[in-house]
Amino acid sequence: MSKKVTQVVEEMVNPILEPLNLELVDIEYVKEGKDWFLRVFIDSEGGVDIEDCGTVSEKLSEKLDEVDPIPYNYFLEVSSPGAERPLKKDKDFQKAIGKQVYIKTYEPIDGEKVFEGELVSFDGNIVTVSVKIKTRTKTFEIPYEKVASARLAVTFN
């Protein structure tokens, strides 16, 4: 059910975002406690503000009321993905090259399942991450299909 809802919402929200020069980062449709939440994460090159979120929320809410694809009562939340933005699509990985990332894999790669370091490259099949381990740096080549989750990482120096 939640997969179908996210696909329908994606088809509805993209035409709203395009003229505003905003991009869809992610959609979640989840139950927390007794309540359902539809969360839409948006972004742009210069970031998004509360007005952008409000505009998208208003327009999407109208569309959702028209089409009514969700049988339950739910809360609609439109927001920025934040500093630790998830990397979901190929283009997200491409844009993150040279930045700090946090990656979890489905199974160990060289004995590790969690990698935090600089995203060195991404060719569509292999994610290459340079990780500092104490005083040395080690490069890991992670098959893309083994990435369980990935996001930008905020580091404090």
Side-chain angles (χ1 to χ4, degrees):
M1 166 71 156
S2 68
K3 187 70 166 172
K4 187 175 188 296
V5 167
T6 58
Q7 289 170 335
V8 169
V9 172
E10 183 173 351
E11 290 168 11
M12 296 168 84
V13 77
N14 276 325
I16 295 169
L17 298 176
E18 284 175 27
L20 300 171
N21 291 320
L22 298 171
E23 72 169 299
L24 178 63
V25 175
D26 198 11
I27 298 174
E28 292 179 352
Y29 180 59
V30 294
K31 188 172 186 181
E32 294 179 2
K34 61 181 177 57
D35 296 318
W36 284 91
F37 290 86
L38 176 60
R39 295 188 177 111
V40 178
F41 298 94
I42 60 173
D43 207 356
S44 74
E45 283 298 318
V48 294
D49 59 24
I50 191 107
E51 290 174 21
D52 295 324
C53 294
T55 300
V56 172
S57 179
E58 219 173 274
K59 291 179 182 212
L60 180 57
S61 185
E62 288 172 11
K63 280 269 199 213
L64 287 164
D65 287 347
E66 280 174 31
V67 178
D68 201 19
I70 303 171
Y72 310 104
N73 290 331
Y74 61 93
F75 294 96
L76 173 63
E77 297 176 355
V78 177
S79 66
S80 159
E84 294 189 334
R85 171 189 177 135
L87 306 176
K88 298 261 185 182
K89 304 171 188 146
D90 288 7
K91 70 176 184 153
D92 297 335
F93 281 88
Q94 289 294 340
K95 286 168 69 174
I97 292 172
K99 296 181 179 170
Q100 293 295 306
V101 295
Y102 178 89
I103 297 174
K104 284 186 180 180
T105 57
Y106 290 112
E107 58 191 59
I109 311 283
D110 291 341
E112 302 291 332
K113 285 182 76 175
V114 175
F115 305 87
E116 188 165 355
E118 181 183 339
L119 179 58
V120 177
S121 68
F122 173 68
D123 67 3
N125 297 312
I126 301 292
V127 179
T128 305
V129 181
S130 178
V131 178
K132 279 191 176 172
I133 304 167
K134 295 184 182 178
T135 58
R136 61 187 179 89
T137 301
K138 183 172 181 183
T139 300
F140 293 89
E141 291 190 348
I142 305 166
Y144 187 45
E145 71 271 5
K146 297 199 185 212
V147 174
S149 65
R151 63 173 169 76
L152 292 179
V154 174
T155 55
F156 301 96
N157 296 328

